[in-house]
Amino acid sequence: MSVDRRALARAYKETPRPMGVYRVHNRVADKSLVGTSVDLPSILNRELAQLRLRAHRNSALQADWDALGADAFTFEVLDTLTPPADAPDYDPRADLQVLEALWLERLRPWGARGYNREPAGA
């Protein structure tokens, strides 16, 4: 059976990537890093790769990862955003900010509870 690699690659590129809010969760200390992305699988893979390479931009998260190990952490999608079907030029940034703000308010992942910076006025 012949596989058309170009067709597979084209189909992959044309498939919309799931976007939304994600969390890196330290289950031992119950601390979280919450963020958004227009490509959730890619950002979760990047977060994991940076931690494994000891090159994560968040030094507190990296220190906990180094001390506790990978088994203490989960990488999860908290919420997804579906682009409107009738808006081909849809820019998700504002909607992602609203979703992120909701999750930040719910989880409050700063100070002793997390790795995010506390929003102004929180």
Side-chain angles (χ1 to χ4, degrees):
M1 184 163 115
S2 174
V3 176
D4 184 352
R5 293 185 189 279
R6 286 184 184 172
L8 288 174
R10 184 173 49 255
Y12 175 80
K13 289 178 183 178
E14 292 172 358
T15 302
R17 306 301 289 161
M19 61 180 128
V21 181
Y22 70 93
R23 167 168 86 156
V24 179
H25 184 214
N26 173 341
R27 295 186 324 271
V28 174
D30 195 25
K31 294 171 70 174
S32 298
L33 172 70
V34 174
T36 64
S37 178
V38 295
D39 188 343
L40 289 168
S42 291
I43 192 65
L44 291 173
N45 186 48
R46 182 180 317 143
E47 295 283 0
L48 177 60
Q50 287 177 346
L51 287 165
R52 285 181 174 162
L53 293 170
R54 303 190 72 217
H56 201 277
R57 67 195 176 285
N58 187 303
S59 59
L61 174 58
Q62 185 68 64
D64 285 350
W65 175 274
D66 294 343
L68 299 170
D71 291 341
F73 292 83
T74 57
F75 296 77
E76 51 196 338
V77 173
L78 297 175
D79 214 337
T80 57
L81 180 63
T82 304
D86 60 347
D89 294 333
Y90 172 67
D91 183 352
R93 287 181 287 193
D95 291 335
L96 286 172
Q97 283 181 330
V98 169
L99 273 180
E100 182 179 37
L102 291 171
W103 280 101
L104 288 172
E105 178 60 31
R106 182 176 181 182
L107 297 174
R108 305 183 70 75
W110 48 80
R113 296 189 49 138
Y115 305 104
N116 289 78
R117 287 192 177 138
E118 185 171 1

